[in-house]
Amino acid sequence: MTRYLQNVFIFLLLSSCGVAGCTSSLKSEAVRIRWSTDPQTLDPLVASIPQAQEVINLLHCSLLVGDRNQRISPWLAQALPIVSRRDSLTLLTYSLRPEATWDNGQPVLAHDVAFTLKLLNCPGLPTEFARTQYGFVTDIELDVKDPRRFTLVCRTAASGIIFSSGDFAILPEYAVDPQKYLRAVSLSLLQTDTVAALRQYPGVRSFARHYRQSNYGQHPERLPGCGPYTLKAWAKGRYLRLQRKAKWWATKLTPSPAWLQAHASRLDYQIIPDNAQALLAIRRGDIDLYPMPAARDFDQLRHSADTTKLAFYTTDSYEMVSVGFNTQRPFLRDALTRRALSLLFDVPGLIQATQPGLAYRSVGIIRPNDKPAYNDSLSLAPFDLRQAANLLRQAGWQRNSDGRWVRGATETLAFSISYQANAPDHEAVARQFQAAATQLGIPVKLNPAEEQLYRQQLIQGDTDLHVRTTRGNPFTYNFMTILHSRSIGLNNFTQYRSKVADRLMEAIMLEQNESRRVKLLRRFQQQIQQDSPLVVLFFIRNRLIASKRLRGVQPLRVRPGYDALNLSVALLGK
Amino acid sequence: MARMILRLLRWAFTVWALASLLFLLTSLLPNEQQLLIRLSETATGSRMPSSEQAAVAQQAVKQRLGLTDPVFYLSPATTNSSFGWRWQWNGTHNQYHRWLSALLRGNLGKSYRTGETVGITIIEAIAVTVPLTYLATLCIVGISIPLGVWLGARSSSHWLYTALYMLDALPLFVVALLLLLLLANPDYFSFFPAFGLGFEEDDSSGASTLLRYPSFIVLPLSSLVLSGLTEPTLQLADALRHEAQLDYMLTAQAKGLTRKQALWRHGLRNALLPTLTLFTELLPNLLAGSVVVEFVFALPGLGRLVADAAAARDYPMLLGGVLFVLVARQLTLSVADWLYQLADPRLRISAS
């Protein structure tokens, strides 16, 4: 029996050595990156999670791309579009790069862009999200003389439409619609009257059926792209491997801009759901890059002996942790009460507890490093119970004999604070607030909820106070999604309604002049601090842990926090 | 033969009833917010649809997923109904009918999240979970029987009892993490790979895959085995100790068998009956436990699939997973019946 067990143990050890041998052979070639979850689907129409977006951006190209410095840069387009006006419409005229080709050598043409836009509006396909996102492009006009030149007709003049008009993956008409069913249909007809489109062009139905049957979401290899990589392997829930194309069109460019270079010959995305596992994996050398580790893990590891093998990177981000007040609740309707409650957050203590050295404060929803727009004349909210009590009194609240705060005969200041159940940082915020409020005599109930349920509660306005992390966009200042009264029931979880703020947000979005926009932004921050529909606790820093064999690691302010195109592996002996 | 058919019908009924209940419960939840949630996930600064646009889009998603039809044959009446004043008859044009008809044709539907066929996804997940859980079952059975017999011949104050009780007190995720931190950690021993099942290399031969696979599976397998070992082992040991007191065992020993031989040849068969129940419970329990193990060791199995589907409200996937567990459970119960009759012929006679 003992000998048998010994044999089994030796076999397992040998096989683990075999694995070590295999993985070390892989080490020399591939850049191995940790993902917490599988991309689930790689169909550009339905892919929503960041992992899927990342892969789609490596398999396909869009017209424009955000470069490493968060500037809009031309990708498939030769240059940024020429903007002109026609009545109330905005026209964006693009020219495609002559070097851009599909894998079969055919050039990428304006017809492919037109096809993609029609696909995003095609009936019978899951285009609901795309329609809401790209519905502002009402038509595409192709240049009869130049097959690479076209004009997008947009119904809005908002400042962010340039990037929005070029951030979708361009798909090849020859591969997806070889029968050219969509070529005859106009984009405007597909957008406005799908029934008429189907009646007049029965081929659209056949196309939709063919697209669904192709199942591009699970078989992305059937959908050729003009991006630098092709899908080599995808084991669901385990890994995804991308291989750099031997002949990618952008390699012909001279000089080649940084965002048109792909360094790694192979990218291996390893799916490791558990953070503890991922930490072990980077320490063991099983992966090369661990993006956004938990702040505590990052802090511990960078002060450990592993610094000889690992490199640590941080940078600012557009992600803020904030607490929103449901401004429709009777006791939270007045700004004074909200401002008083804002003083119950011990922000420096929270940063120390949840993001040691990896977060920074802000007076509002604009990053302090965004120098011209950030309103530095405003002051940070202090953690001050006495001042909070004074503000509550000014708001009409009185502390009665049993220590509770009441207003009039009916109102008692007692509420709950909601947060996502598996977010320890958010829980820490809620607990600290509860402790401070209890000191002041305000009963606060903690209300953790499962992720989807929590989101539903937020959408329906079923919370009093809520903690959440919000991601910003570096390419435009559009706060309408989270604070405009039209977004109530969608993304405005504070249910905040203010005509002044609404007008300011609309003006910011439409303003083209930079200095006037900066003025509006500063005024807007002041307005938000005054009304306090939410209190921004801190902005977090993006974090990366990378193996020292990895080259070209540059932390980015936007997710995923790194530029996979720039990564490469240092060859042995170099 | 008639009994077999009857049993099969009872099986089918149980599975149908439970799956239908789950389908109706999930369909009645206010959950069809797939797109609304997606819209609410968009980053600040992206284009904002109006609430009307969002409502139209939401309705289109529901229509695409077939969620606009009535849930069941009967639904609460909104206007004057043909069936009393409270209910209205929807005919076969309802979600449940469509789901059941598809199910009878072997079609479990498509995932809300990925659009992939549920059946294929489940088969892929089973390919990871089933070998793991079956191996764990075999290991537990293979270890607990000799260990139980060995312990049955010893005093109940033996140190191994304490060790097994301590092991039983540890939750599965603690056992899994302990093994991970001890045997796949550069600080201690880095014997085994820490996660997943490795890459399937294009040029790898079957032999190298076969050689690599055990090392990936050893930690998850050990976690399941260590957590499931105590109950059947101690149950068997106690049952054997009880059997050892009985006259037939004394007779066997009087006829010249050693105590150990008597336990193996005569005692075990009688003592095994209650343990068989535990063994048949093992597979469903291990399936449940595989959620934890698959999460900790990053294995793309059924447990993780069902847990993810539940968290994302991907009901077709969730129902498919639950249906598989139900069928597996029914199967193990039948195996238990068969084993009972094999171990104790009296049951066969009384049944007939």
Side-chain angles (χ1 to χ4, degrees):
Chain A
M1 182 76 175
T2 319
R3 181 164 296 172
Y4 168 74
L5 285 173
Q6 273 174 356
N7 289 340
V8 169
F9 190 69
I10 288 167
F11 171 73
L12 290 172
L13 273 181
L14 280 175
S15 63
S16 68
C17 295
V19 172
C22 292
T23 46
S24 64
S25 73
L26 284 174
K27 269 185 186 178
S28 58
E29 292 177 38
V31 171
R32 297 155 307 157
I33 302 169
R34 185 256 178 155
W35 268 349
S36 61
T37 180
D38 192 79
Q40 295 172 3
T41 173
L42 293 175
D43 183 345
L45 287 182
V46 285
S48 59
I49 65 169
Q51 287 80 3
Q53 295 293 351
E54 187 179 344
V55 175
I56 287 171
N57 285 336
L58 293 165
L59 299 177
H60 304 277
C61 289
S62 47
L63 296 171
L64 305 173
V65 67
D67 71 6
R68 284 156 207 162
N69 300 313
Q70 281 74 57
R71 282 189 309 246
I72 303 171
S73 306
W75 200 4
L76 268 181
Q78 203 161 21
L80 293 181
I82 301 163
V83 184
S84 56
R85 305 276 304 170
R86 185 193 295 161
D87 303 325
S88 63
L89 302 170
T90 307
L91 306 180
L92 304 172
T93 303
Y94 282 96
S95 284
L96 296 169
R97 289 181 189 274
E99 300 86 355
T101 55
W102 300 107
D103 292 346
N104 66 355
Q106 284 186 27
V108 180
L109 298 176
H111 271 303
D112 294 307
V113 181
F115 162 73
T116 308
L117 278 169
K118 289 172 191 175
L119 176 71
L120 295 177
N121 289 277
C122 181
L125 294 178
T127 54
E128 303 87 3
F129 183 70
R131 276 170 177 271
T132 62
Q133 290 294 290
Y134 302 104
F136 69 95
V137 181
T138 56
D139 207 355
I140 176 166
E141 296 169 355
L142 307 185
D143 192 317
V144 283
K145 288 180 192 158
D146 185 350
R148 291 191 176 85
R149 195 177 157 86
F150 60 93
T151 300
L152 299 181
V153 182
C154 308
R155 71 158 75 97
T156 171
S159 58
I161 62 160
I162 291 184
F163 188 58
S164 307
S165 71
D167 71 350
F168 51 89
I170 304 299
L171 304 178
E173 187 188 38
Y174 81 87
V176 187
D177 185 16
Q179 315 288 333
K180 298 191 173 40
Y181 285 124
L182 291 189
R183 195 172 268 202
V185 199
S186 76
L187 176 62
S188 51
L189 182 67
L190 284 172
Q191 271 190 342
T192 50
D193 194 347
T194 48
V195 180
L198 287 170
R199 199 175 49 240
Q200 288 174 37
Y201 302 95
V204 173
R205 215 183 284 275
S206 314
F207 166 76
R209 197 181 317 114
H210 174 254
Y211 188 95
R212 287 196 305 268
Q213 283 169 353
S214 300
N215 195 7
Y216 296 122
Q218 303 307 315
H219 296 281
E221 72 280 358
R222 295 175 187 165
L223 183 64
C226 56
Y229 288 91
T230 51
L231 187 87
K232 185 83 176 158
W234 181 15
K236 306 277 164 58
R238 288 166 58 193
Y239 61 86
L240 184 142
R241 171 171 288 171
L242 299 177
Q243 181 82 42
R244 192 178 58 203
K245 288 174 185 167
K247 290 178 184 170
W248 184 41
W249 60 266
T251 49
K252 294 178 209 154
L253 291 174
T254 46
S256 180
W259 61 92
L260 280 168
Q261 294 173 21
H263 294 278
S265 63
R266 203 159 72 185
L267 294 170
D268 284 345
Y269 291 97
Q270 302 260 24
I271 295 145
I272 312 173
D274 185 36
N275 284 344
Q277 268 280 12
L279 211 60
L280 270 183
I282 187 97
R283 292 184 58 217
R284 288 167 52 111
D286 293 339
I287 53 173
D288 299 312
L289 188 69
Y290 181 3
M292 284 307 278
R296 288 224 151 267
D297 292 343
F298 183 86
D299 193 51
Q300 271 171 16
L301 208 58
R302 73 172 161 177
H303 293 114
S304 73
D306 288 308
T307 45
T308 50
K309 288 181 291 180
L310 301 173
F312 299 82
Y313 303 87
T314 61
T315 188
D316 296 350
S317 80
Y318 294 88
E319 283 180 38
M320 62 177 186
V321 175
S322 63
V323 175
F325 301 100
N326 185 344
T327 56
Q328 298 303 309
R329 291 278 196 261
F331 51 90
L332 292 172
R333 237 176 228 156
D334 63 298
L336 270 178
T337 305
R338 299 197 294 264
R339 288 216 311 261
L341 296 177
S342 303
L343 302 180
L344 300 184
F345 293 100
D346 176 12
V347 181
L350 283 170
I351 290 177
Q352 194 49 42
T354 62
Q355 312 278 327
L358 296 164
Y360 52 98
R361 298 192 67 179
S362 169
V363 295
I365 51 183
I366 289 180
R367 291 180 320 122
N369 290 349
D370 201 347
K371 288 293 178 201
Y374 182 71
N375 193 338
D376 45 12
S377 66
L378 300 174
S379 53
L380 295 166
F383 175 51
D384 190 338
L385 299 189
R386 190 174 294 170
Q387 201 184 331
N390 286 338
L391 279 174
L392 283 177
R393 283 191 198 95
Q394 283 175 39
W397 297 97
Q398 293 300 324
R399 211 163 174 185
N400 65 12
S401 52
D402 64 357
R404 296 213 164 193
W405 292 85
V406 290
R407 188 162 60 180
T410 51
E411 277 188 292
T412 305
L413 195 59
F415 47 82
S416 65
I417 181 163
S418 304
Y419 55 93
Q420 198 178 305
N422 56 350
D425 296 354
H426 292 186
E427 185 176 349
V429 171
R431 286 195 181 280
Q432 183 275 314
F433 177 77
Q434 185 191 38
T438 309
Q439 258 181 290
L440 210 61
I442 306 168
V444 173
K445 199 177 138 206
L446 299 184
N447 189 16
E450 180 268 333
E451 187 183 356
Q452 301 284 330
L453 186 68
Y454 180 50
R455 213 182 281 276
Q456 234 158 23
Q457 287 175 355
L458 289 174
I459 291 169
Q460 290 161 1
D462 287 342
T463 59
D464 295 334
L465 268 73
H466 64 263
V467 191
R468 77 184 287 263
T469 301
T470 312
R471 268 183 299 130
N473 182 336
F475 304 109
T476 178
Y477 291 108
N478 178 3
F479 302 105
M480 292 175 66
T481 39
I482 56 165
L483 288 167
H484 199 281
S485 55
R486 286 215 310 267
S487 293
I488 293 175
L490 279 175
N491 256 11
N492 182 352
F493 302 142
T494 60
Q495 319 280 313
Y496 174 57
R497 272 177 205 279
S498 158
K499 282 183 183 164
V500 180
D502 280 0
R503 275 199 297 270
L504 273 169
M505 282 183 271
E506 287 159 17
I508 289 167
M509 204 183 72
L510 293 171
E511 185 55 65
Q512 306 288 338
N513 180 289
E514 190 57 35
S515 65
R516 280 203 296 271
R517 187 163 56 205
V518 163
K519 271 185 195 159
L520 286 168
L521 282 165
R522 293 173 80 93
R523 169 84 188 86
F524 177 65
Q525 289 166 78
Q526 199 178 355
Q527 183 69 34
I528 293 299
Q529 196 176 65
Q530 194 182 312
D531 290 351
S532 284
L534 53 82
V535 50
V536 176
L537 300 177
F538 47 80
F539 276 80
I540 56 175
R541 285 185 199 280
N542 272 351
R543 310 172 285 272
L544 293 178
I545 306 177
S547 152
K548 282 199 170 162
R549 78 187 194 107
L550 213 56
R551 297 282 173 268
V553 184
Q554 192 184 354
L556 300 186
R557 290 184 196 141
V558 287
R559 293 289 178 114
Y562 56 88
D563 183 4
L565 290 175
N566 204 32
L567 299 174
S568 62
V569 172
L571 294 175
L572 290 173
K574 281 199 177 180
Chain B
M1 187 63 186
R3 269 170 46 80
M4 278 275 283
I5 292 168
L6 202 67
R7 181 174 293 177
L8 209 66
L9 284 174
R10 214 165 47 208
W11 253 39
F13 177 77
T14 313
V15 172
W16 164 78
L18 287 171
S20 297
L21 191 69
L22 195 65
F23 175 87
L24 292 174
L25 282 175
T26 53
S27 303
L28 293 173
L29 289 171
N31 55 61
E32 301 92 0
Q33 305 240 357
Q34 299 292 321
L35 185 81
L36 204 56
I37 281 168
R38 191 171 164 197
L39 289 174
S40 76
E41 277 169 353
T42 51
T44 318
S46 27
R47 293 162 297 283
M48 182 192 71
S50 67
S51 48
E52 294 80 25
Q53 278 177 315
V56 168
Q58 184 68 21
Q59 187 63 18
V61 173
K62 282 187 180 182
Q63 210 146 14
R64 174 163 58 81
L65 298 175
L67 300 170
T68 44
D69 297 336
V71 172
F72 197 55
Y73 299 100
L74 289 171
S75 61
T78 45
T79 52
N80 290 340
S81 70
S82 56
F83 194 79
W85 60 276
R86 223 179 260 193
W87 299 94
Q88 71 180 25
W89 177 251
N90 300 312
T92 56
H93 191 68
N94 63 68
Q95 291 180 45
Y96 176 74
H97 184 84
R98 210 170 43 236
W99 173 77
L100 195 63
S101 319
L103 187 67
L104 290 174
R105 292 195 303 273
N107 179 2
L108 290 167
K110 288 192 171 182
S111 159
Y112 286 168
R113 283 179 302 168
T114 64
E116 199 179 11
T117 313
V118 170
I120 293 173
T121 315
I122 288 180
I123 287 169
E124 283 172 0
I126 286 171
V128 174
T129 304
V130 167
L132 179 68
T133 45
Y134 270 92
L135 264 175
T137 311
L138 284 178
C139 288
I140 291 175
V141 172
I143 297 172
S144 65
I145 291 178
L147 199 61
V149 175
W150 189 80
L151 270 178
R154 275 154 190 81
S155 145
S156 60
S157 57
H158 195 273
W159 64 268
L160 201 56
Y161 268 88
T162 320
L164 283 170
Y165 277 125
M166 280 173 66
L167 204 58
D168 198 38
L170 290 176
L172 178 55
F173 78 93
V174 175
V175 175
L177 282 175
L178 278 176
L179 285 176
L180 183 74
L181 294 175
L182 196 67
L183 298 174
N185 189 341
D187 294 339
Y188 300 100
F189 304 104
S190 195
F191 290 152
F192 300 103
F195 65 92
L197 292 169
F199 281 93
E200 281 154 18
E201 297 300 320
D202 299 336
D203 51 354
S204 66
S205 64
S208 76
T209 311
L210 209 66
L211 187 73
R212 278 189 298 127
Y213 185 74
S215 68
F216 282 102
I217 214 78
V218 74
L219 289 183
L221 185 68
S222 307
S223 313
L224 287 174
V225 171
L226 287 174
S227 315
L229 197 60
T230 305
E231 231 178 310
T233 307
L234 295 188
Q235 163 73 44
L236 184 64
D238 285 347
L240 277 171
R241 201 168 294 114
H242 171 74
E243 293 294 324
Q245 312 295 323
L246 299 181
D247 291 345
Y248 77 93
M249 288 289 288
L250 294 175
T251 312
Q253 286 180 55
K255 284 168 78 180
L257 292 180
T258 63
R259 184 180 161 83
K260 195 174 163 187
Q261 283 171 327
L263 277 176
W264 273 104
R265 287 190 196 168
H266 302 287
L268 184 61
R269 191 163 180 153
N270 290 313
L272 210 54
L273 278 178
T275 315
L276 277 182
T277 319
L278 288 177
F279 283 153
T280 50
E281 288 288 319
L282 267 181
L283 200 64
N285 290 347
L286 288 173
L287 272 175
S290 67
V291 180
V292 177
V293 167
E294 285 163 10
F295 183 80
V296 173
F297 294 101
L299 299 171
L302 189 71
R304 216 171 101 196
L305 182 79
V306 172
D308 285 350
R313 310 284 194 273
D314 188 355
Y315 292 131
M317 195 62 84
L318 179 66
L319 281 168
V322 171
L323 210 62
F324 172 78
V325 176
L326 277 174
V327 172
R329 196 180 169 84
Q330 290 293 312
L331 269 173
T332 54
L333 287 176
S334 300
V335 171
D337 276 1
W338 176 71
L339 284 175
Y340 268 140
Q341 291 176 14
L342 205 70
D344 189 348
R346 287 171 299 183
L347 290 173
R348 209 168 7 189
I349 293 161
S350 66
S352 63

